[in-house]
Amino acid sequence: MHEMALMESLVSVLREEAEKNDIKEIKKVKMTVGTLTHALPSALQFAFTVLRESTPFAPLATLEIETVSAQAKCLACAQTFDVSDEYLFTCPHCQAFTIKIIAGRELKIDYFEGE
Amino acid sequence: MQVHINQKLLGANELVAKENRKRMAEKGVYLLNLMSSPGAGKTTVLEKTLPLLKERIKVAVIEGDIATVRDAERIAALSVPVVQINTHGACHLDATMIQAVLDKFDLDNLDLLIVENVGNLVCPAEFDLGEAAKVVLLSTTEGNDKIPKYPLMFHEADGLLINKIDLLPFTDFSLEEVAKDLQKINAHLPTFPLSARTGEGMEAWIHWLLQKMQEGRERP
């Protein structure tokens, strides 16, 4: 739902970074998105195609999205586990409810390529 | 050329949220982020909450909406200072929007600033405003599947209000199911079933809020 806003922050970060690194045209962007953010890759891609029409993006700049699934660490038994819909935030090993999310909230730009 | 930046997309928001948090702590103002689906009754709950709070503390409100000033007018009618933020389409408030309106309040003479976020259970969870606490409002007419469907919002919450309990007999909403789902998502979440319409349960929620503010002052 907020993919356009997310992409707008991506563009403003990249604009600044491109200038810093003296890059005139960005051809590729790689980002990581955790599933818990509910940011849909297809909606991010769509927003990117709208926003890449402005400088400093190449007209056909591409966006690569790496999806990270949700993982948590149990504070009771210290084991890590995948957060699935079924378990939600319950430890599947010891059934404890005190858990810490360790992956799945990522929303970051890893790198960009350009000249 | 490949440039590795490894930068958080919402890093800029987090920086401003940190500034807001620091400023609120300096001024001794408790910032509360109130979130729910559209129509759960955030404004109505505030309409019932504010007169009860006003007797005890100095309170003000930031209203976040995509458009219109209707909610702000309802709060202003209670003689509570209120600022409306229209997001013009954005589905959430962010820290910069909050920062931009803070000067409109007399922060030196304020104890509590409640932010009524845009009605939405997904996006506001991602945007830290610099709040001291997040309170989520769920209403019985929405159904209790909202908790497993939007786990992040409920996982991050510091308090949960369940509104419209006067309508419980007419819905399939189950407080037992809510308790069961919360066990898996946020086991010790303080939960307050209430009805803004009848006033039932309001005192318990207000008592908790005042206590949280007290704790915040003692352990900033």
Side-chain angles (χ1 to χ4, degrees):
Chain A
M1 232 186 278
H2 52 313
E3 286 83 356
M4 191 51 104
L6 294 175
M7 284 293 110
E8 279 166 4
S9 351
L10 173 128
V11 168
S12 74
V13 169
L14 287 179
R15 210 165 262 155
E16 207 173 291
E17 289 293 331
E19 203 179 302
K20 242 191 261 173
N21 292 284
D22 203 23
I23 284 178
K24 304 272 177 281
E25 197 178 54
I26 294 175
K27 293 187 167 154
K28 183 185 168 181
V29 182
K30 155 85 194 325
M31 66 183 293
T32 303
V33 178
T35 52
L36 285 174
T37 64
H38 289 285
L40 297 175
S42 58
L44 291 171
Q45 289 288 3
F46 174 75
F48 185 73
T49 59
V50 174
L51 293 168
R52 73 181 174 191
E53 299 195 352
S54 61
T55 49
F57 292 94
L60 290 174
T62 56
L63 173 67
E64 184 187 331
I65 299 174
E66 180 186 338
T67 306
V68 177
S69 56
Q71 272 210 325
K73 180 176 180 174
C74 176
L75 298 178
C77 73
Q79 296 203 63
T80 59
F81 59 94
D82 294 333
V83 177
S84 66
D85 285 341
E86 196 186 335
Y87 287 116
L88 291 167
F89 297 133
T90 312
C91 174
H93 308 292
C94 73
Q95 317 306 321
F97 302 125
T98 42
I99 63 109
K100 192 175 172 228
I101 297 168
I102 53 171
R105 299 212 55 179
E106 295 81 358
L107 256 182
K108 64 181 176 97
I109 308 167
D110 300 305
Y111 64 82
F112 64 97
E113 286 174 11
E115 279 157 23
Chain B
M1 183 164 89
Q2 199 175 75
V3 184
H4 285 259
I5 55 173
N6 198 27
Q7 204 176 108
K8 279 188 183 175
L9 216 46
L10 298 176
N13 185 68
E14 281 166 30
L15 279 180
V16 179
K18 215 170 150 186
E19 284 170 26
N20 289 349
R21 193 165 278 122
K22 186 162 167 262
R23 186 151 175 223
M24 293 294 101
E26 279 164 8
K27 296 285 180 186
V29 179
Y30 197 82
L31 190 66
L32 185 87
N33 185 359
L34 179 63
M35 296 173 281
S36 81
S37 311
K42 285 186 299 302
T43 313
T44 309
V45 166
L46 282 183
E47 279 177 318
K48 288 296 163 83
T49 300
L50 294 169
L52 296 168
L53 282 175
K54 255 177 71 182
E55 298 166 4
R56 305 174 226 200
I57 55 166
K58 294 186 201 93
V59 57
V61 173
I62 295 174
E63 277 291 337
D65 280 295
I66 288 174
T68 81
V69 293
R70 277 177 211 167
D71 286 355
E73 282 167 1
R74 286 168 63 184
I75 303 301
L78 304 167
S79 304
V80 169
V82 57
V83 170
Q84 176 81 51
I85 298 175
N86 279 148
T87 61
H88 304 291
C91 48
H92 58 273
L93 292 173
D94 65 35
T96 308
M97 296 178 198
I98 300 298
Q99 188 179 48
V101 300
L102 284 180
D103 282 332
K104 298 191 191 292
F105 296 98
D106 179 8
L107 295 175
D108 291 317
N109 282 303
L110 194 62
D111 302 309
L112 173 65
L113 181 55
I114 302 178
V115 179
E116 183 184 328
N117 217 313
V118 179
N120 180 343
L121 283 176
V122 184
C123 319
E126 285 305 322
F127 293 84
D128 186 2
L129 305 180
E131 69 272 1
K134 293 180 201 288
V135 170
V136 181
L137 174 69
L138 178 68
S139 63
T140 58
T141 49
E142 290 168 72
N144 32 312
D145 62 345
K146 291 290 176 293
I147 295 173
K149 270 185 168 168
Y150 303 92
L152 190 60
M153 178 64 89
F154 292 93
H155 181 71
E156 305 248 302
D158 298 293
L160 172 65
L161 310 182
I162 300 179
N163 189 28
K164 307 188 191 178
I165 51 160
D166 52 317
L167 299 180
L168 259 184
F170 310 106
T171 67
D172 294 328
F173 194 89
S174 155
L175 288 170
E176 290 77 35
E177 286 288 319
V178 165
K180 229 191 276 174
D181 285 333
L182 283 179
Q183 275 288 308
K184 299 175 199 157
I185 292 169
N186 191 344
H188 303 292
L189 180 65
T191 302
F192 303 95
L194 54 84
S195 164
R197 201 165 72 101
T198 66
E200 187 185 348
M202 292 298 294
E203 265 306 322
W205 133 245
I206 282 163
H207 179 79
W208 173 81
L209 175 57
L210 292 171
Q211 208 176 345
K212 283 289 279 185
M213 289 174 60
Q214 185 65 35
E215 284 167 20
R217 262 194 288 272
E218 283 159 13
R219 286 185 279 116

